[in-house]
Amino acid sequence: MNFSLILRFVKRELRTSEARILVLALAVAVASVGAVGMFADRVKAAFANQANVLLGADAMISGDRELSKEFLEKAGASGLKTTESIRFGSMVTPRLNGATTDTAGAALSDVKAISAPYPLRGAIEVRGEPSAADPRGERIKLDPLKSVPNPGEVFIDERLASRLNLKAGDAIDLGKLQPRVAKVFVEEPEVAGNFLSSAPKVLMNVSDLAASELLGPGSRASYRLQVAGDRADEFAAAIKPKLGPGQRIETVRELRPEVRNTLERSEQFLGLAASFAVLLAVVAIVLALRRYLKRELDTATIFRTLGAARRQTLLHFLGQFFVLSLIACALGVALAYVAQAGLAYAVRGLFASELPAAGLAPLWRAFATGLVLLLGFALPPLVALASTPPVRALRRDMALPTGGGIVAALLGVIAVLGVVMLQAQDLKTGAIFVAGIVALVGAAALGAAALLWGVRRVTRARSRSAWQMGLANLDRRRLSTSIQIACLGLGVMTLITVGFVRTDLFAAWQKSLPADAPNRFLINVQQDQVAPLQSLLKERGQDANFYPMVRGRLVAVNEKSITPADYPNERAKRLVAREWNISSADALPKGNVILSGSYFAPEARDELSLEEELARDLGINLGDTLTYDIAGERATYKVTSLRKVDWDSFRANFFALVPKSNLDTLPKSYITSFHLPTNDLKTLPAIVNTAPNVLAIDVSEVMERVRSIVDQVAKALEFVFLFTLAAGLLTLYTAVVSTQDERRYDTAIVRTLGGTRRQVRDALIAEFSLLGIAAGALGVFGAIALTWALATRILKIEFIASPVVWIVGLVAATLLTLVAGWLGTRSVLSTPPIRVLREG
Amino acid sequence: MNAVNEGANLAASSSNAKMAITADRLNRTVSLGDRELVILDDVSLTVAQGETLAIVGASGSGKTTLLGLLAGLDRPNAGTVSWLGETINTLSEDALAKKRQGTVGFVFQSFQLLPALTALENVMLPLELAADADAESRATEWLGRMGLGERIDHLPRQLSGGEQQRVAIARAFAANPSIVFADEPTGNLDTDTGNEIIELMFKLNRDRQTTLILVTHDLDLAARCNRQIRLARGKVV
């Protein structure tokens, strides 16, 4: 292989429009993949940081006994920031005039003994002075390093302050101590986790703990080590096997399912946007490649004629192609870096903190994507090219070497599948995409055949209007027309789908989290309190469902006893170790979908409906029997259905549901959820009056965080969409100009033979209009199928038909094709035909 | 006219020497689905080293097909072709390609220059493919000899038709071939330029003792060759 010859060829090739378009198409492909990937990574990291605020850290180890110092040392060795705290429940009473008072009441509080820095993620927020703009006082974040309570002081939250009528400067009784309230805070980060956070919060300095004598032998407390830093996930994975009994490690993903699902879905949405960029890139590359290879055929012929062996020719082309790809990929990566920086700058206001710095991994991925795509599609035609018979130098009209046909297509499909999977990081998404492409190409071939059949019938008529001439042109270039329709259709499909994902699919997701979603749970409701509470809530317009709940531990599957040690999976171990909430519902609860089996009838007995993920973790199948230990009694149920549960819904959801009759004789409490408007100050006191033992749990903060993540994803998607749109337009343009040479030549002949400019213009308009309509129709149908599949199979949200998007898509596709086609070919009208003919 | 006479003398004097080309009972057919179309039917000929031969005939008579077979660009359905006594039909595709390097040169009607390469780079190409270390200096020398010393950095589209064909001739002769094949070398040129090109080719043939085989419609051009063969319906007549 003569490397200097290759470099010289590349240098010269870069002067030709064919090579330039190919390099540009590939660069745009790499740039879109890289920019979207990099931006998505940064946004994802920002979301993760925000979500970590819910935990106050990136990961947290907790245990019911003091934690081994080994964990702390390990975290330090991994370069992680750490903070230790102890959390427990305690009564708090205010001291009035320096003395305990019985009249001021007492409140069970959630006490946390902390030391600086606290928290590792997020901040404790207090209120500033009330102002006209914010009568309650603006929220101010405290510095985690400086603002923890000093010894002898505590911070209490607003709920405790209002319940006990306390303000900064007052003193409270906390164990044997009487600390002063230094600050009243609005919020501190750790709101996720379990429902315990319903009690008002007190933060104290850890050095006061011993003197307070709050924790004696046997006291219930949670000892925690929170860590934050780049290697937190790695640390969590390494620590997991070392945890002792009663200890656990949580990362934000293992927290509330609502948060976990929101994060996962955000990643899916952004990953999808990146996959679309890949798809568009593929179309542009295929088209540009076709034109480029056609040109290279002449070079191959000359090479062969001048005595280059097949291997020599192949090596030369491979080398040339590789260098071209490297240039394009490098250009694309540079573009990607600039574009993502631009994107990040454009959305700078949307995120609470600055976007985390971009890692280089997406750029490498984009670079590899470019190489894989180009070589995937180009390799078979290049091999064919190297076998060009030299006699083609004498007979230019001879058949072209077949470009690897099926092999080329197959390699291309594999390349796309690989790249899409890399983007979507999910086999199923990749498969749906590729199936979509294959189906669309098939449909395009059929559609184009039908269209051309129609065209032939029209053009057979005697009179030859300019329009008929244009249609006849399409028919003559049958293969090119079919390819163009397929590629344009694919472009249109992608653009419509992205638009659809951005608006409708997203709306469907947002709809799953409506403004009036339940934000309060009532637990510990007794049977005789259900009716009065139900009517109380009904008076306030809340139709609350009360679910009975018994606690039971799974002790046997199919009559065989089980222990946590039987399961390798961590989650399964936990599920077997703890008690479950078992509930009952006559009808399938809202937001639940039966995946297999059928939901039991109201009158059934000893049947059970199980949540599918849990069933999978525990290896439980339909028809298995599960035995629970419920308050010392054993109860056995047969699994008759597996359910998917909508964990995003903020409703009361259960892993196991059994028929009502099975719970009749068991001791049980009830749970419900309802929406409490922020300005409603009366409902909760009314509930407490009716049922003083009932615990009301506030999940509005978690919901707020989730909703804000969703809103930010929406904005990020808008920007990513703009990028995909730009790539899409370039693809459309490439598709249209791909037949420019043929069209220029044909037009020159027509003009030479006396065709007027007007005739030629009308013919071109007819041609492009028809192409646009065909591609638009194909694209719209493809988009409907694809979005349906995406909504129902991947994002698992409701598919909303939106005819307006479709009609707009069709019209826009037609107009865009027309405009792009016109811009790409109008020069033929002003170029003297002789010049075109001379250039061949 | 001198050129013709000299060529004729040379041919006569070397009649017993090793033949540059020997073609024996060449047949070439193409399949048209249900029937076979015979393009060349039992064509045999010999061309002596240094001889000039014109292949003439009407359009579709098989001239270009014959040239392709003689030049080893295509393979016959039956019959053999030898270059300098060596049969080329039995060579593999790649061995034949290798054999073409340094043995044969080509001049085409449509010049067949690579549009992205400069005149110099076009001429260098066969030398570089044969890994000739002096490619650049030899190509520069050849272009100078063709009167294109000032235009070596020009792209084909910046050159006139005659200049392009001169670049093509330089490319054909640069690798010092024994045989040069020319397919309608003046077909795309006006009469004056065509004559100029023909003069150049005959001069090179004379100077370098190259065997020249050309396909042409131009009877004047054919008359300047040592010998002509006429094809009609795939047969030598």
Side-chain angles (χ1 to χ4, degrees):
Chain A
M1 188 162 43
N2 184 337
F3 200 65
S4 67
L5 187 67
I6 289 173
L7 287 185
R8 181 137 34 79
F9 262 84
V10 168
K11 195 171 141 202
R12 299 295 181 210
E13 291 279 335
L14 282 175
R15 291 183 183 162
T16 65
S17 70
E18 290 87 347
R20 279 184 187 170
I21 287 190
L22 182 64
V23 167
L24 192 68
L26 189 59
V28 167
V30 171
S32 19
V33 173
V36 171
M38 214 167 169
F39 179 68
D41 268 16
R42 292 181 73 177
V43 171
K44 272 191 274 187
F47 288 152
N49 277 352
Q50 286 192 349
N52 290 349
V53 167
L54 298 175
L55 191 67
D58 293 343
M60 180 169 81
I61 307 175
S62 56
D64 49 18
R65 243 158 286 167
E66 240 172 291
L67 298 174
S68 141
K69 284 292 163 205
E70 187 197 344
F71 298 146
L72 185 66
E73 284 158 16
K74 256 209 148 57
S78 301
L80 301 174
K81 287 196 286 180
T82 56
T83 191
E84 290 181 283
S85 60
I86 303 160
R87 184 177 178 179
F88 51 90
S90 175
M91 292 305 288
V92 169
T93 37
R95 287 179 77 84
L96 288 180
N97 306 321
T100 309
T101 164
D102 290 337
T103 50
L108 176 66
S109 302
D110 173 12
V111 184
K112 238 189 284 182
I114 59 173
S115 56
Y118 183 90
L120 297 178
R121 297 283 184 210
I124 301 170
E125 289 186 15
V126 295
R127 286 196 195 280
E129 289 302 312
S131 66
D134 195 343
R136 300 185 65 189
E138 190 195 350
R139 290 162 80 124
I140 300 169
K141 290 188 165 80
L142 296 183
D143 182 340
L145 283 177
K146 297 176 194 152
S147 301
V148 298
N150 293 320
E153 289 179 356
V154 288
F155 294 176
I156 62 171
D157 73 357
E158 284 182 336
R159 283 181 297 169
L160 188 63
S162 87
R163 191 173 301 176
L164 298 183
N165 202 15
L166 287 165
K167 58 186 186 307
D170 292 346
I172 57 167
D173 272 320
L174 185 63
K176 298 272 184 207
L177 293 180
Q178 290 82 42
R180 196 177 61 86
V181 174
K183 283 185 166 65
V184 175
F185 63 89
V186 189
E187 179 173 278
E188 66 112 18
E190 200 188 324
V191 295
N194 52 38
F195 289 144
L196 252 180
S197 59
S198 57
K201 290 180 179 178
V202 175
L203 297 174
M204 67 184 286
N205 193 295
V206 75
S207 61
D208 283 344
L209 196 56
S212 72
E213 292 180 23
L214 283 167
L215 294 182
S219 298
R220 279 179 63 94
S222 164
Y223 294 82
R224 306 114 71 78
L225 169 65
Q226 283 163 298
V227 302
D230 292 341
R231 293 168 65 194
D233 278 347
E234 209 177 295
F235 170 75
I239 283 300
K240 227 168 218 176
K242 299 207 162 80
L243 295 174
Q247 294 179 337
R248 56 188 294 190
I249 185 157
E250 295 162 278
T251 58
V252 71
R253 283 171 198 282
E254 290 161 351
L255 289 174
R256 299 288 303 264
E258 296 89 349
V259 179
R260 191 188 66 198
N261 284 4
T262 308
L263 277 181
E264 279 172 6
R265 207 162 279 172
S266 310
E267 287 180 23
Q268 272 180 330
F269 267 101
L270 290 167
L272 266 181
S275 302
F276 284 120
V278 175
L279 251 194
L280 288 169
V282 167
V283 179
I285 287 171
V286 167
L287 289 166
L289 193 62
R290 191 166 166 258
R291 200 159 164 237
Y292 177 80
L293 287 174
K294 214 164 152 187
R295 179 198 176 92
E296 289 303 271
L297 196 58
D298 287 344
T299 311
T301 306
I302 298 292
F303 262 62
R304 303 277 287 139
T305 308
L306 296 181
R310 226 180 313 206
R311 188 165 167 270
Q312 193 181 6
T313 314
L314 179 62
L315 283 178
H316 174 86
F317 280 111
L318 281 180
Q320 192 179 314
F321 229 75
F322 191 68
V323 176
L324 273 179
S325 314
L326 285 185
I327 294 172
C329 289
L331 187 68
V333 162
L335 273 174
Y337 192 84
V338 174
Q340 64 82 26
L343 277 176
Y345 181 76
V347 299
R348 69 194 181 285
L350 299 179
F351 294 90
S353 55
E354 201 149 292
L355 277 183
L360 290 180
L363 288 187
W364 283 116
R365 271 211 302 271
F367 199 95
T369 301
L371 286 185
V372 167
L373 278 183
L374 196 56
L375 292 179
F377 281 100
L379 214 50
L382 282 182
V383 173
L385 203 61
S387 312
T388 305
V391 71
R392 196 179 161 271
L394 296 171
R395 302 201 170 283
R396 296 289 300 273
D397 54 346
M398 69 183 291
L400 305 180
T402 43
I406 289 176
V407 182
L410 214 63
L411 251 181
V413 168
I414 291 171
V416 175
L417 187 64
V419 168
V420 168
M421 241 127 70
L422 198 73
Q423 286 302 315
Q425 291 174 9
D426 170 33
L427 182 74
K428 202 165 155 193
T429 315
I432 286 188
F433 261 70
V434 174
I437 298 168
V438 171
L440 194 89
V441 170
L446 282 177
L451 179 81
L452 294 174
W453 179 80
V455 163
R456 271 196 294 283
R457 292 189 59 107
V458 173
T459 51
R460 220 176 267 158
R462 287 253 175 95
S463 74
R464 304 275 291 177
S465 71
W467 278 79
Q468 280 169 328
M469 215 158 74
L471 300 184
N473 283 344
L474 284 180
D475 187 30
R476 264 186 305 111
R477 286 191 288 271
R478 241 171 264 181
L479 182 65
S480 297
T481 303
S482 308
I483 292 175
Q484 255 181 328
I485 291 178
C487 290
L488 281 168
L490 212 59
V492 172
M493 174 186 88
T494 310
L495 286 179
I496 295 180
T497 308
V498 175
F500 191 76
V501 167
R502 189 184 62 111
T503 54
D504 297 66
L505 288 193
F506 201 78
W509 184 23
Q510 276 176 319
K511 218 177 92 182
S512 69
L513 209 72
D516 60 352
N519 58 5
R520 293 290 190 288
F521 283 86
L522 296 182
I523 62 170
N524 206 22
V525 179
Q526 300 308 302
Q527 192 150 15
D528 57 348
Q529 294 168 330
V530 171
L533 283 177
Q534 211 154 22
S535 60
L536 187 152
L537 288 172
K538 201 159 190 141
E539 279 165 26
R540 289 164 169 79
Q542 300 277 342
D543 201 7
N545 250 333
F546 281 73
Y547 292 95
M549 205 163 81
V550 301
R551 311 264 305 158
R553 201 162 57 79
L554 183 65
V555 291
V557 175
N558 293 333
E559 312 286 330
K560 189 173 162 283
S561 294
I562 54 165
T563 66
D566 297 338
Y567 295 87
N569 177 320
E570 279 302 314
R571 183 164 180 253
K573 278 187 200 298
R574 278 210 302 275
L575 287 166
V576 175
R578 69 172 173 88
E579 286 193 318
W580 302 13
N581 292 322
I582 303 166
S583 183
S584 157
D586 281 346
L588 186 67
K590 218 172 147 187
N592 285 225
V593 181
I594 294 291
L595 295 182
S596 59
S598 50
Y599 195 71
F600 48 72
E603 66 279 7
R605 246 194 107 78
D606 300 337
E607 291 189 27
L608 185 140
S609 175
L610 198 61
E611 195 267 341
E612 49 124 5
E613 273 183 48
L614 178 137
R616 205 167 44 221
D617 281 344
L618 290 176
I620 296 171
N621 298 312
L622 215 57
D624 287 351
T625 59
L626 306 184
T627 307
Y628 292 89
D629 180 337
I630 301 170
E633 304 261 323
R634 283 166 83 93
T636 300
Y637 308 101
K638 186 175 174 198
V639 179
T640 53
S641 65
L642 295 178
R643 272 172 304 130
K644 189 174 92 66
V645 173
D646 180 8
W647 294 110
D648 297 358
S649 67
F650 283 93
R651 279 187 286 266
N653 283 309
F654 299 93
F655 288 132
L657 290 171
V658 296
K660 264 207 170 117
S661 56
N662 277 103
L663 298 187
D664 278 350
T665 55
L666 294 170
K668 56 187 171 289
S669 65
Y670 288 77
I671 178 171
T672 191
S673 61
F674 66 98
H675 178 77
L676 181 74
T678 27
N679 55 5
D680 180 348
L681 302 173
K682 290 186 181 150
T683 304
L684 278 181
I687 289 173
V688 174
N689 264 341
T690 315
N693 59 312
V694 164
L695 264 180
I697 292 162
D698 182 357
V699 291
S700 55
E701 275 179 88
V702 177
M703 286 187 68
E704 250 345 285
R705 303 271 167 124
V706 167
R707 202 171 276 134
S708 106
I709 291 178
V710 173
D711 286 348
Q712 283 166 354
V713 174
K715 282 175 184 137
L717 269 181
E718 297 270 334
F719 286 99
V720 173
F721 173 72
L722 280 183
F723 204 83
T724 318
L725 185 73
L729 290 179
L730 184 98
T731 307
L732 289 187
Y733 185 75
T734 322
V736 167
V737 299
S738 66
T739 49
Q740 195 185 24
D741 300 336
E742 298 166 56
R743 204 169 273 123
R744 269 167 70 87
Y745 193 78
D746 289 359
T747 308
I749 300 263
V750 170
R751 287 185 62 202
T752 312
L753 297 178
T756 64
R757 281 166 64 108
R758 194 197 150 100
Q759 276 174 316
V760 171
R761 188 195 64 201
D762 288 354
L764 284 177
I765 291 177
E767 224 182 305
F768 286 122
S769 304
L770 203 65
L771 265 183
I773 292 170
L778 197 68
V780 168
F781 282 123
I784 294 173
L786 190 59
T787 44
W788 174 82
L790 284 177
T792 57
R793 296 280 170 265
I794 294 183
L795 298 168
K796 313 242 160 103
I797 44 192
E798 194 189 343
F799 172 73
I800 307 170
S802 49
V804 178
V805 176
W806 301 336
I807 292 167
V808 169
L810 182 62
V811 173
T814 310
L815 288 178
L816 276 176
T817 308
L818 190 56
V819 171
W822 179 247
L823 288 178
T825 9
R826 77 191 153 142
S827 63
V828 297
L829 290 178
S830 49
T831 314
I834 185 67
R835 221 169 86 195
V836 178
L837 293 177
R838 248 200 216 133
E839 286 166 5
Chain B
M1 271 335 255
N2 266 350
V4 176
N5 290 338
E6 273 176 35
N9 291 341
L10 195 121
S13 69
S14 61
S15 58
N16 291 327
K18 214 193 293 177
M19 287 295 146
I21 291 179
T22 309
D24 186 28
R25 311 194 64 180
L26 292 181
N27 279 278
R28 187 75 176 94
T29 53
V30 287
S31 171
L32 294 178
D34 53 342
R35 67 194 178 92
E36 295 273 297
L37 179 66
V38 178
I39 300 178
L40 285 181
D41 188 5
D42 254 3
V43 174
S44 298
L45 60 90
T46 54
V47 188
Q49 284 188 43
E51 190 182 1
T52 52
L53 171 74
I55 303 170
V56 296
S59 286
S61 61
K63 303 187 294 292
T64 299
T65 303
L66 178 59
L67 187 81
L69 293 179
L70 296 179
L73 297 179
D74 197 7
R75 290 184 186 262
N77 296 87
T80 57
V81 176
S82 308
W83 290 344
L84 305 166
E86 189 184 349
T87 306
I88 60 166
N89 306 58
T90 51
L91 296 177
S92 70
E93 192 67 43
D94 283 351
L96 182 55
K98 209 81 200 143
K99 190 97 196 141
R100 276 200 294 274
Q101 284 181 4
T103 307
V104 298
F106 295 95
V107 178
F108 300 100
Q109 179 178 4
S110 53
F111 320 137
Q112 300 278 21
L113 298 176
L114 293 179
L117 301 190
T118 62
L120 178 67
E121 289 164 346
N122 265 294
V123 179
M124 280 167 68
L125 189 56
L127 300 169
E128 287 181 305
L129 289 175
D132 187 328
D134 298 326
E136 186 166 353
S137 59
R138 283 180 68 181
T140 311
E141 185 198 325
W142 268 98
L143 283 168
R145 203 178 285 178
M146 295 291 114
L148 292 169
E150 303 291 308
R151 319 206 62 175
I152 59 172
D153 289 329
H154 287 222
L155 292 172
R157 65 182 155 79
Q158 297 166 321
L159 300 171
S160 71
E163 287 170 329
Q164 289 189 49
Q165 196 59 304
R166 273 190 279 160
V167 174
I169 291 170
R171 182 177 67 182
F173 282 91
N176 219 0
S178 309
I179 312 162
V180 169
F181 294 93
D183 180 31
E184 304 272 13
T186 57
N188 270 354
L189 304 172
D190 60 60
T191 316
D192 288 348
T193 314
N195 285 339
E196 189 191 310
I197 290 295
I198 289 303
E199 286 302 331
L200 197 60
M201 285 177 65
F202 277 103
K203 183 173 180 301
L204 287 170
N205 160 250
R206 227 164 36 236
D207 293 352
R208 309 192 72 80
Q209 293 289 297
T210 318
T211 307
L212 178 64
I213 297 173
L214 53 85
V215 160
T216 186
H217 274 109
D218 181 348
L219 295 180
D220 288 340
L221 169 57
R224 294 180 62 174
C225 293
N226 301 139
R227 202 149 54 93
Q228 301 178 17
I229 62 164
R230 178 173 298 278
L231 285 183
R233 290 192 201 137
K235 283 180 184 293
V236 179
V237 291

